[in-house]
Amino acid sequence: MKSYSSPKETGGVHNFNAGPSILPKEVFEEASQSVLNYNDTGLSILEIGHRTPVFQSIMDEARALIKELMQLDDDHEVLFLHGGASTQFMQVPMNLLNEKETAAFADTGIWSAKAIKEAKLFGNVDIVCTSKESGYTFIPKDFAVPNDAKYFHITTNNTIYGTQWQKIPNVSIPMVADMSSDILSRQINFNSFDLIYAGAQKNIGAAGVNLVVVNKNILGKVKRAIPTIMDYRNHIKEGSMLNTPPVFAVYVSMLTLRWLKNMGGVSAMEKLNNEKAALLYNEIDNNPLFTGTVAKEDRSKMNVCFTINDKEHEEKFLAFVKQHNIIGIKGHRTAGGFRASLYNALPLTSVQVLVEVMKDFVAKLS
Ligand SMILES: *Cc1c(COP(=O)(O)O)cnc(C)c1O
């Protein structure tokens, strides 16, 4: 197993951005080389036709790596589509939900709420649980999902608030998940979902492509006419090459997936992600100046949200971390406070530096 690049190798900057976000240094190097000359073809990756054997093998490898890393069975198809996760908010109900049918949703944040809004354009929505009243600071526990709903949709990790489903609910109807911000970060039985989608720009690769994993058996059951480009079955039939795919974004994803496999796959990532999150939460809990913002048992290992106890110090702290080349920890504009995103490619050393800086900051004040 390779070791993480040191922050020196990442240009000395500790990048805690929420998305687009840090990717492995090795991926940046190889991708930039390929922009100039892909694999000694004398051509840039940006000028290679998508129907050529060169790109076909990139697409094939990316799809195969997803299948392998997620340990998907033969029913689950892998697609790389345009439009980001936000397009899936409407594409999912368009393909799965008839007008008179109901989809069940857990409302655990802004992204869930946006998925709910789009689903209402296609059928009925039953919000079976919500943590909205508390500012989305926890994952609801006691709720029932009706057996006659068409599917149950969850957002596995709530990027803005820093909550994460630690236990995937066990329901008798098909599960659909937005995994944009924690895909491939921990071991999950991915086959237990009938549809998974994730914008690539948080944990998989460059912005501009969206991963969709779909159980082909749930398709073809709605009555409405689906526009060709929106119908998953057409993309499956064409091997995710129905039209020109986002070539460069797929390529960067493939390189990141290769890196992930070299690192030891999802189980190795989970171990490192647990270590990074434990280190930072431990500091938040023990440093008198900081407070975690969500229920402890629901804390995200990808997006760590916290506040400073004296609002007056907020700007000073941001300036202080900046001096130490820590970037991207200002909280989302709707949530405030701080958010440190610890995606797969973020080295443990960056978290160690952040923790040291938090200690130094409080020491300086006293
Ligand atoms: C970032 C994010 C989205 C939006 O992704 P886009 O690719 O910008 O559409 C949706 N859901 C979650 C959970 C996210 O973190």
Side-chain angles (χ1 to χ4, degrees):
M1 225 173 75
K2 269 198 247 171
S3 67
Y4 275 110
S5 8
S6 83
K8 271 208 185 66
E9 287 166 308
T10 61
V13 173
H14 304 281
N15 182 3
F16 291 91
N17 273 328
S21 42
I22 188 168
L23 290 174
K25 175 76 168 158
E26 298 91 312
V27 170
F28 291 138
E29 278 166 357
E30 193 163 349
S32 57
Q33 179 52 44
S34 299
V35 169
L36 299 171
N37 180 1
Y38 177 73
N39 260 1
D40 286 327
T41 54
L43 293 170
S44 166
I45 183 72
L46 301 176
E47 62 180 334
I48 290 173
H50 63 290
R51 304 282 175 204
T52 58
V54 171
F55 184 71
Q56 186 67 57
S57 77
I58 291 171
M59 178 60 96
D60 291 346
E61 185 174 345
R63 294 174 83 205
L65 280 165
I66 288 288
K67 277 220 132 175
E68 181 184 342
L69 290 165
M70 293 172 77
Q71 297 177 5
L72 297 173
D73 62 30
D74 291 341
D75 288 334
H76 284 77
E77 299 279 352
V78 178
L79 302 172
F80 286 97
L81 305 180
H82 293 273
S86 301
T87 298
Q88 295 308 309
F89 296 161
M90 62 114 170
Q91 196 168 355
V92 170
M94 186 187 279
N95 278 266
L96 302 186
L97 190 63
N98 277 312
E99 221 177 303
K100 298 251 156 57
E101 290 170 341
T102 299
F105 278 79
D107 174 26
T108 55
I110 284 180
W111 297 120
S112 308
K114 288 189 181 193
I116 289 166
K117 178 168 178 261
E118 299 306 297
K120 283 179 178 166
L121 297 172
F122 298 92
N124 301 320
V125 165
D126 182 358
I127 301 171
V128 298
C129 59
T130 177
S131 49
K132 187 176 179 179
E133 294 306 310
S134 85
Y136 293 124
T137 51
F138 68 95
I139 297 288
K141 310 284 183 313
D142 291 319
F143 58 87
V145 179
N147 284 330
D148 57 350
K150 205 66 192 294
Y151 59 86
F152 178 42
H153 179 287
I154 64 169
T155 310
T156 50
N157 183 71
N158 298 283
T159 327
I160 294 172
Y161 310 91
T163 60
Q164 188 174 29
W165 292 81
Q166 302 306 336
K167 199 175 154 289
I168 301 299
N170 194 2
V171 297
S172 58
I173 59 172
M175 288 275 293
V176 173
D178 176 356
M179 295 195 187
S180 292
S181 52
D182 70 348
I183 186 103
L184 297 172
S185 70
R186 56 174 172 160
Q187 285 179 294
I188 288 183
N189 178 9
F190 294 105
N191 290 310
S192 69
F193 292 86
D194 280 308
L195 198 147
I196 294 167
Y197 60 94
Q201 67 272 20
K202 281 145 192 160
N203 242 343
I204 300 179
V209 70
N210 191 31
L211 171 70
V212 173
V213 170
V214 58
N215 180 344
K216 59 189 174 205
N217 300 317
I218 61 163
L219 300 175
K221 293 178 182 165
V222 288
K223 293 194 198 82
R224 78 174 54 83
I226 303 172
T228 309
I229 197 74
M230 285 291 132
D231 191 329
Y232 296 121
R233 289 171 302 173
N234 296 329
H235 289 280
I236 292 171
K237 217 185 304 159
E238 298 299 328
S240 204
M241 295 262 243
L242 180 60
N243 66 327
T244 314
V247 168
F248 189 66
V250 170
Y251 173 64
V252 173
S253 298
M254 186 279 281
L255 292 179
T256 309
L257 295 168
R258 258 190 203 165
W259 169 86
L260 209 154
K261 187 180 166 184
N262 279 340
M263 294 293 295
V266 178
S267 62
M269 275 302 133
E270 176 170 358
K271 203 161 153 267
L272 284 159
N273 289 330
N274 285 344
E275 200 181 341
K276 287 185 284 181
L279 184 62
L280 184 51
Y281 282 119
N282 185 53
E283 180 59 24
I284 290 168
D285 290 341
N286 290 307
N287 188 315
L289 209 53
F290 299 99
T291 309
T293 50
V294 304
K296 278 193 182 175
E297 71 272 17
D298 302 323
R299 282 175 162 179
S300 167
K301 301 202 166 109
M302 293 282 98
N303 310 99
V304 177
C305 293
F306 56 105
T307 53
I308 198 154
N309 295 352
D310 185 342
K311 195 81 172 115
E312 252 179 48
H313 297 316
E314 193 165 308
E315 288 306 318
K316 270 188 225 153
F317 180 65
L318 284 173
F320 190 67
V321 300
K322 205 165 159 221
Q323 282 169 23
H324 293 84
N325 292 326
I326 290 168
I327 67 141
I329 69 156
K330 197 173 163 63
H332 187 269
R333 61 187 188 280
T334 58
F338 308 110
R339 170 178 56 175
S341 298
L342 316 180
Y343 298 124
N344 284 347
L346 184 88
L348 177 64
T349 41
S350 286
V351 183
Q352 287 165 338
V353 170
L354 175 58
V355 164
E356 280 312 304
V357 167
M358 289 163 79
K359 285 190 207 294
D360 289 351
F361 187 74
V362 71
K364 230 170 48 113
L365 288 178
S366 52

